[in-house]
Amino acid sequence: MNLGTAKPSPQELLEVKHHLIDSLSIEEAYDVRKFEKDALQILATIFQKSNVAIMTGGSGLFADAITDGLDEIPDVEPEIRKEIIKEFESKGLEWLQAQLSKVDPEYYSQVDRQNPQRLMRALEVYRGTGLKFSSFRVKKEGYSTFSSNKNRAG
């Protein structure tokens, strides 16, 4: 099965080396952490031979993972997430918003409050660790030599 949106044509794939296209089965779990690891390995190989690499496609989150790194946010017990989902389904978005505003006003002021997935993730981390989600959002300083953040070392 050939899946993907806006993929290079077969001719384009022959003309220019591409990476991470058609490299996974739809059965495989793949997330931004795995992408970061894979892409950084590929970039290390490319930079042994060239000073230039072009990264395109994907979402902003995936690009940020390469240029700025990912925050180290802990996993929590799946039961906590299930409990929050159940509460969200019965009490709604406004309940999620109110809960997050109480336990982590800093993240609440920054997050897309219409995105229940982000609200639930912040609440599950808080319930699982006892620490605010915002306390884990501390991008790695000097993460990479090609950081998009001009204030970082590199």
Side-chain angles (χ1 to χ4, degrees):
M1 188 179 316
N2 188 3
L3 298 175
T5 58
K7 286 183 359 182
S9 69
Q11 182 63 37
E12 290 168 326
L13 290 171
L14 289 173
E15 292 174 3
V16 177
K17 176 70 177 161
H18 289 71
H19 302 273
L20 300 175
I21 293 178
D22 294 336
S23 60
L24 299 169
S25 161
I26 60 170
E27 303 293 323
E28 290 179 69
Y30 198 71
D31 60 21
V32 69
R33 289 219 179 277
K34 290 177 184 174
F35 169 79
E36 177 191 34
K37 180 179 179 254
D38 292 345
L40 288 174
Q41 287 175 343
I42 290 166
L43 287 169
T45 301
I46 290 171
F47 290 143
Q48 288 175 357
K49 298 176 185 176
S50 175
N51 291 328
V52 177
I54 299 171
M55 188 171 93
T56 185
S59 73
L61 173 64
F62 282 66
D64 288 349
I66 301 306
T67 59
D68 299 329
L70 294 171
D71 293 317
E72 297 295 329
I73 298 173
D75 292 327
V76 297
E77 295 296 321
E79 290 305 314
I80 294 172
R81 177 132 181 105
K82 289 177 186 174
E83 180 181 296
I84 291 172
I85 290 170
K86 196 175 193 180
E87 289 177 284
F88 164 59
E89 289 172 346
S90 68
K91 299 176 184 175
L93 183 64
E94 288 180 2
W95 174 84
L96 279 177
Q97 294 165 338
Q99 293 300 302
L100 185 58
S101 72
K102 284 183 214 170
V103 300
D104 193 348
E106 180 182 349
Y107 184 63
Y108 180 77
S109 71
Q110 301 165 352
V111 69
D112 173 1
R113 289 176 232 146
Q114 301 302 310
N115 185 329
Q117 295 301 322
R118 291 188 183 190
L119 301 173
M120 286 189 284
R121 178 68 174 133
L123 287 173
E124 77 182 44
V125 168
Y126 175 75
R127 286 188 186 176
T129 65
L131 299 170
K132 296 176 182 180
F133 188 77
S134 58
S135 71
F136 295 101
R137 299 185 73 219
V138 291
K139 297 276 187 190
K140 303 168 195 167
E141 285 301 316
Y143 181 72
S144 72
T145 57
F146 42 89
S147 175
S148 65
N149 185 336
K150 305 295 184 215
N151 295 323
R152 293 182 186 232

